[in-house]
Structures are given as structure tokens and as C-alpha cells.
Amino acid sequence: MDPELEAFIPLFPKADLVDPVIERKSFAELATAIPVPDIADMEIEDRTVPADPDVAVRIYRPHRARGAVIWSHGGGFVMGDLDTEHPWATRLADASGVTVISVGYRLAPEHPFPAALDDAYAVLAWAAGHAAELGVDPERIAVGGHSAGAGIAAATALRARDRRGPRIRFQLLNQPSLDDRQETWSARHFTDTPWMNRDKVTAAWRHYLGSTPASPYAAPARATDLSGLPPAYIATAELCPNRDEDISYALRLLEAGVSVELHQWPGTFHGSQAILSAEVSQRQIAELAAALRRALAE
């Protein structure tokens, strides 16, 4: 493990996701303690997207933004909201020059699949239909997210392709949760890794799926056809249960003719980019923003 990250391991709270309601409070305390960059030149607006039910979003508009990303937060499908994602959405918008539309999707287990996907897709459709109002080019709309949110973003891209929905230019997938089956080497062996481990992944998928059998729209790794999907940037952490399913998904996208940039970050663990003082975290965050800027802003 990267020594700058390892020093922080004793400070991470123990969490097992058995009771998501309890875990949400500690997750919020951790997330909102992360400092927010200077946003003097950025317009930030809370809005409600008409849907069934309506979806809360927070829009971050950098000066002269040309593109937009529909952004879904992490939290194992059961934690997180617009406030916990605020430090990350702000950073991403500021560093990329792209409008970030952060999605306050419904959480499991109270709202199992497909609630979160329905919310993210509704925001995508709304953004595409209101591009002029948002001041973005409708041909420069991406989907993205961290962890569970990245899995929801990948599923949104699959649904948009299959429904001939809004055109998505790019996928920005950071350590995505893609496969409920947990059959890869990393999913089977990473039982005691920091922050995210096999038991927590199992609990997250159980809450998210509820009594519904997994489908490609819940677990995109189950999709048999990945052709026609948008180009993707996929980032993985070395000590993350999701690592191998993410690498496999990237390779399958390539085999399907989809352009992919894959970045495996050595010495990192799931969510370790939250340790902002670490040099590797700074590079990770900068790379995510740079990939989005290349895809939408340049």
C-alpha cells in the first residue's frame, strides 16, 4: 500500500453496511469533512427534475462550460446524497471546466433497483432536453460517478443505448460496482481491505437488488453485448474488490469496439482518493478531471 495512504488506515471507522441507516450518518460526517475548493467563479444551483418521483439535483456551472456530466455519487447504493458529494462535484467541475449535474438518487434498501437507475436516467433525459437552458452542447453530455454511482452511470449508458435514448458522449467510471456475482480474484480474496471488502460488497448488492434478480441494468458486467456504448475512462484501485471486474469490463468494451482508457492505480484502495494529502490521490483526482475535460471541454 502507498505509505501516505497507509498512515490513515487506523482513522477509518469500521462499517459493515448491515444497517445502512446507521452507516449513513458516519459516512456523511466523513464526506462533509473533506474541504471544498474555492468556488467563487462557479454557479451552483439546486433544482428538481420532473420525474416519477421528482429527482433532486445540484448543478455546478464553471465559467464558459461547454459540456455536462450526469454524476452519481458513491456509497454502496445505500449511502450518500448531494451534500456528501459536494466536495467531489465541486472539484470535478472546477478542474474539468465541465458542468456537473449531481444526482440525488433514491437509496436502497428503502428504494431498491431500479429506483437509482430510473432517477439517473430521468436526469440524463432532462439534461438532454434542456441543454440550451443549461448552456451546454447537447452533443457533449457524459455520465459518470464513483463506486456504486459509477455502476449506475454504466447502467445508464446501457439503457440509453438500448432505448435509443439521449446520446451519451463519454463514460467516466471511477472504481465502478459492476458485478453482483463476486467471482473475480479480487472480489473473492479482498476480505480485509480498507473501507471496502467482500462482506461490504455482498451487503451492498443485497440491499440494492432486494428480491429482484440481477440484470445487466443492475449489474452491467452481466451484459453480453457491450457494442455501441460511449467511450470510457475506467479507473481502478489496486486493493479494491471491484478491481478485476472493472478491468474485465474495460477489456470487454475494447473487444466490442469501444474506445477505453484504463488506469489502474497502484498502492491505492477503494475510495482512498479522499485522503487528499497523498500524492497519488492528487494524481487520481487530476486524472479524472483531465479525462472529462478531454472528452467534453476541448
Side-chain angles (χ1 to χ4, degrees):
M1 185 180 297
D2 185 291
E4 288 190 289
L5 301 177
E6 191 169 13
F8 283 82
I9 298 304
L11 303 179
F12 273 70
K14 299 296 182 183
D16 54 20
L17 293 189
V18 172
D19 187 338
V21 176
I22 293 176
E23 302 298 349
R24 284 171 191 159
K25 182 178 179 181
S26 60
F27 180 78
E29 290 172 351
L30 278 175
T32 54
I34 297 170
V36 177
D38 181 14
I39 53 175
D41 294 331
M42 187 185 305
E43 180 185 347
I44 301 177
E45 177 187 11
D46 285 334
R47 295 195 54 175
T48 300
V49 171
D52 186 19
D54 295 346
V55 185
V57 297
R58 186 169 294 167
I59 305 172
Y60 302 78
R61 293 190 186 93
H63 184 56
R64 295 182 179 176
R66 300 174 64 193
V69 59
I70 313 304
W71 186 256
S72 297
H73 62 78
F77 302 110
V78 302
M79 302 181 295
D81 54 29
L82 296 179
D83 291 332
T84 63
E85 197 62 14
H86 182 67
W88 302 112
T90 306
R91 270 183 178 75
L92 187 62
D94 182 56
S96 68
V98 167
T99 293
V100 174
I101 304 175
S102 185
V103 182
Y105 60 82
R106 287 169 289 170
L107 301 176
E110 297 91 337
H111 304 284
F113 173 83
L117 174 60
D118 289 345
D119 292 348
Y121 192 82
V123 174
L124 169 66
W126 173 82
H130 293 77
E133 176 190 343
L134 294 168
V136 300
D137 181 347
E139 297 298 313
R140 293 174 183 262
I141 295 177
V143 294
H146 293 304
S147 189
I152 293 167
T156 301
L158 282 167
R159 181 183 275 187
R161 179 200 65 180
D162 295 346
R163 290 188 176 181
R164 301 181 184 275
R167 181 178 179 272
I168 299 172
R169 181 155 172 164
F170 186 65
Q171 304 177 74
L172 185 67
L173 310 178
N174 187 46
Q175 304 166 13
S177 301
L178 298 171
D179 198 342
D180 66 294
R181 294 166 293 190
Q182 296 179 264
E183 295 173 350
T184 66
W185 189 94
S186 62
R188 289 183 291 108
H189 287 85
F190 287 158
T191 59
D192 196 31
T193 41
W195 186 245
M196 186 59 70
N197 54 50
R198 180 175 176 83
D199 287 346
K200 285 183 72 174
V201 172
T202 300
W205 281 109
R206 182 175 66 249
H207 292 313
Y208 185 53
L209 293 174
S211 59
T212 304
S215 71
Y217 298 132
R222 288 179 173 268
T224 57
D225 178 13
L226 301 182
S227 62
L229 289 171
Y233 174 96
I234 298 178
T236 65
E238 183 174 355
L239 303 173
C240 172
N242 296 349
R243 183 195 68 192
D244 294 350
E245 68 197 57
D246 296 349
I247 293 172
S248 175
Y249 195 74
L251 293 174
R252 290 182 56 220
L253 284 169
L254 287 168
E255 291 166 358
V258 178
S259 182
V260 176
E261 181 173 354
L262 172 64
H263 201 134
Q264 155 57 33
W265 291 95
T268 63
F269 56 88
H270 191 90
S272 63
Q273 71 272 3
I275 302 172
L276 296 174
S277 60
E279 189 265 347
V280 68
S281 298
Q282 295 166 20
R283 290 195 291 125
Q284 284 178 282
I285 296 167
E287 273 293 307
L288 287 169
L292 193 59
R293 184 173 60 251
R294 289 192 297 270
L296 299 184
E298 294 180 352

